[in-house]
Amino acid sequence: MTARTVKALHPAHRDDIADLVTRRPLPGRALPDLDPFLFLNHHGPQVYPPNNRGLPFGPHPHRGFETVTFIIEGELAHHDSGGHASIIKAGGVQWMTAGRGLIHAELSPADFKRDGGTLELLQLWVNLPSRLKMSPPRYQGLQAEDIPTLALPGAHIQLIAGEMLGVRGAVDTLVDMTMATVSLEAGARLSLPIAAGRQIFLYVVRGEVEVAGTAAGAFNLVELNGDGDRLELTATAPCLLALGHAEPFGEPIFAHGPFVMTTREEIMQAISDYQAGKFGREPVI
């Protein structure tokens, strides 16, 4: 077995949203997508004072892909036009399949706005293949205790989806996809089998790690070559990583705002359907 080599590091660029500290490594100038991983926003970490306004993500539509939201610190309320609602706390995950169309809102709960606190979130957009873009919308909200964990020497893996080292993740996915968070102590080494050719998504949330000997610090997306069949990690400082992998779809990606389809015509239809009320009624928040 051979280790995947690093193709490039992609530092996140600052793109704050109102008073929300936001960094975005994907898409970037040198990396428009990482098929099927499309977009990543890293919000925070930051401390909100008491009596704050909370997050600015009121009701908005999506079609054609899935959103995976990692609540690293703080808590996040979800409401959508399918009738789903939850408040997910630190360590939890929201996995929303927009499919043929959904309107959702991601806001700070009333207690957080009143009391304040630390907030840190990741939101990842994951594409759907053309055959699944018009799937029925659905939502899976998981607290930390709902997600299986693997305890290894110096490593703690939270397995959100897929299979790793014989353990199945918590989320039922439409395609074969693995998603996890990985915490490593300084000096810890981790070797994970990942079939050659699968696209790896690897983002350094905190700390510093060496990937097959290449150092990557916080706020960097690590692009890997498709050469090896193992991912080799060594923590040079305590670190937190977001890790996923899947087969690339190899299909055209046509994105416009909150819609991701395969043609311009499908985008125009999405806009028309949303304006016609076919995504359902805005959630009451």
Side-chain angles (χ1 to χ4, degrees):
M1 291 187 174
T2 56
R4 290 282 190 103
T5 56
V6 172
K7 183 176 182 179
L9 299 180
H10 301 277
H13 64 275
R14 281 287 292 267
D15 189 14
D16 293 354
I17 302 171
D19 61 352
L20 178 61
V21 174
T22 300
R23 296 175 174 88
R24 184 177 306 117
L26 185 70
R29 292 180 181 177
L31 190 68
D33 65 79
L34 200 60
D35 179 20
F37 307 103
L38 301 174
F39 173 99
L40 179 67
N41 264 353
H42 184 171
H43 302 300
Q46 67 190 94
V47 177
Y48 276 73
N51 302 312
N52 64 81
R53 293 179 296 176
L55 292 169
F57 304 120
H60 57 281
H62 290 300
R63 172 179 277 183
F65 64 102
E66 300 181 287
T67 64
V68 184
T69 308
F70 305 76
I71 295 84
I72 308 298
E73 296 285 352
E75 52 188 27
L76 181 62
H78 170 97
H79 305 268
D80 68 45
S81 55
H84 308 107
S86 68
I87 296 176
I88 304 298
K89 299 182 181 295
V93 172
Q94 298 178 345
W95 194 299
M96 188 188 80
T97 303
R100 63 179 176 236
L102 198 65
I103 302 170
H104 77 147
E106 297 165 300
L107 300 168
S108 299
D111 288 353
F112 186 88
K113 290 193 285 186
R114 182 193 64 219
D115 301 333
T118 302
L119 183 74
E120 185 172 13
L121 309 170
L122 304 178
Q123 185 169 93
L124 173 66
W125 291 12
V126 179
N127 204 9
L128 287 170
S130 56
R131 64 184 176 83
L132 295 174
K133 283 189 175 292
M134 297 299 283
S135 298
R138 63 178 184 170
Y139 171 77
Q140 299 170 80
L142 301 169
Q143 304 291 0
E145 58 267 25
D146 300 326
I147 302 173
T149 58
L150 292 78
L152 302 170
H156 182 274
I157 301 173
Q158 187 187 44
L159 186 54
I160 299 160
E163 185 172 342
M164 189 178 293
L165 304 178
V167 176
R168 291 292 306 175
V171 171
D172 174 31
T173 59
L174 294 179
V175 298
D176 176 16
M177 178 172 295
T178 294
M179 189 65 62
T181 59
V182 179
S183 299
L184 297 174
E185 299 173 3
R189 298 175 63 90
L190 185 63
S191 179
L192 297 172
I194 300 177
R198 283 178 73 86
Q199 186 77 269
I200 295 178
F201 167 81
L202 180 62
Y203 177 69
V204 185
V205 183
R206 300 175 185 166
E208 185 173 284
V209 66
E210 287 188 355
V211 185
T214 298
F219 311 125
N220 273 279
L221 181 71
V222 183
E223 183 184 8
L224 290 117
N225 292 305
D227 44 2
D229 54 7
R230 297 193 72 81
L231 179 65
E232 300 284 353
L233 304 171
T234 302
T236 51
C239 63
L240 175 64
L241 314 172
L243 170 65
H245 58 86
E247 291 288 341
F249 301 149
E251 298 179 341
I253 298 171
F254 203 107
H256 180 77
F259 310 124
V260 181
M261 304 301 288
T262 57
T263 66
R264 182 180 184 276
E265 290 73 23
E266 289 172 337
I267 291 291
M268 298 306 294
Q269 188 63 54
I271 295 170
S272 177
D273 288 348
Y274 170 60
Q275 292 174 341
K278 294 183 180 181
F279 286 22
R281 301 177 66 178
E282 284 193 1
V284 177
I285 55 178

